Amino acid sequence: MRHTVVERELELQLVLSPEHSIPVAARLAYRTDDPYAVHIGFHIDSAHPVHWAFARELLVEGVFRPCGHGDVRVWPAKSEGRAVVLIGLSSPDGDALLEAPAGQVSAWLERTLVACPPGSEGGRLGLDDGLADLLTR
C-alpha cells in the first residue's frame, strides 16, 4: 500500500505570559502509515528539535472546541483579533503553551482528512494483511 505524507511548515508562538510570546518554527506532519497520529516538531532553545505526537482527532476537535486532558490539550481562541488554536503540552520536563494560526492548521488538517478520511484509518495499518499472513503459515 502506498503511503502519503502531509507536511506543513508554520510559525507558532510559544506563549511565555499573557503579554509575551516568542516565534517558534514548527513542522506539522501526518503520515498515512501512522494514520491516527499527528506529529509536531519544533526548536525551543535546543540543538535538537522537540517532537510530539498525539491523536489527529484531538487536533481536529480542538479547532472547534476545547478538548484533551493530561499531556495534550487543544482549544480555539482569539489573539489580537485572529483565530488561533492553542496547544497545551505537559511533560516531566515542563509545560508549553503554543499558539498556532487556526486557518493554517485547519487547511493542513483538511489535507490529512483527504489523504486518509476519518473511519478509514484502520485499513491503513495493514492489520488484515498481517493477520492473513499469520493464518496462512
Side-chain angles (χ1 to χ4, degrees):
M1 176 179 284
R2 189 170 85 67
H3 296 293
T4 302
V5 176
V6 180
E7 292 183 321
R8 169 97 196 221
E9 300 274 342
L10 73 159
E11 185 176 277
L12 304 178
Q13 295 294 318
L14 175 62
V15 179
L16 302 175
S17 72
E19 303 82 30
H20 187 66
S21 62
I22 58 172
V24 176
R27 173 179 292 194
L28 297 175
Y30 176 79
R31 301 185 320 261
T32 57
D33 63 337
D34 187 8
Y36 291 103
V38 293
H39 302 263
I40 301 177
F42 47 91
H43 286 275
I44 299 181
D45 293 333
S46 64
H48 302 287
V50 175
H51 292 279
W52 278 78
F54 54 90
R56 175 175 68 164
E57 184 177 323
L58 182 65
L59 190 55
V60 169
E61 185 176 338
V63 168
F64 300 103
R65 69 186 69 75
C67 64
H69 52 81
D71 294 346
V72 181
R73 296 171 329 281
V74 184
W75 65 99
K78 292 277 188 194
S79 175
E80 299 175 3
R82 299 176 300 114
V84 298
V85 177
L86 294 173
I87 303 168
L89 304 173
S90 297
S91 78
D93 295 327
D95 299 333
L97 178 60
L98 298 160
E99 179 183 290
Q104 292 179 29
V105 171
S106 295
W108 175 79
L109 278 170
E110 184 63 34
R111 291 176 45 217
T112 76
L113 295 170
V114 168
C116 184
S120 70
E121 296 94 346
R124 295 285 188 159
L125 295 174
L127 296 178
D128 291 337
D129 294 339
L131 183 58
D133 186 45
L134 283 174
L135 295 174
T136 58
R137 288 185 188 183

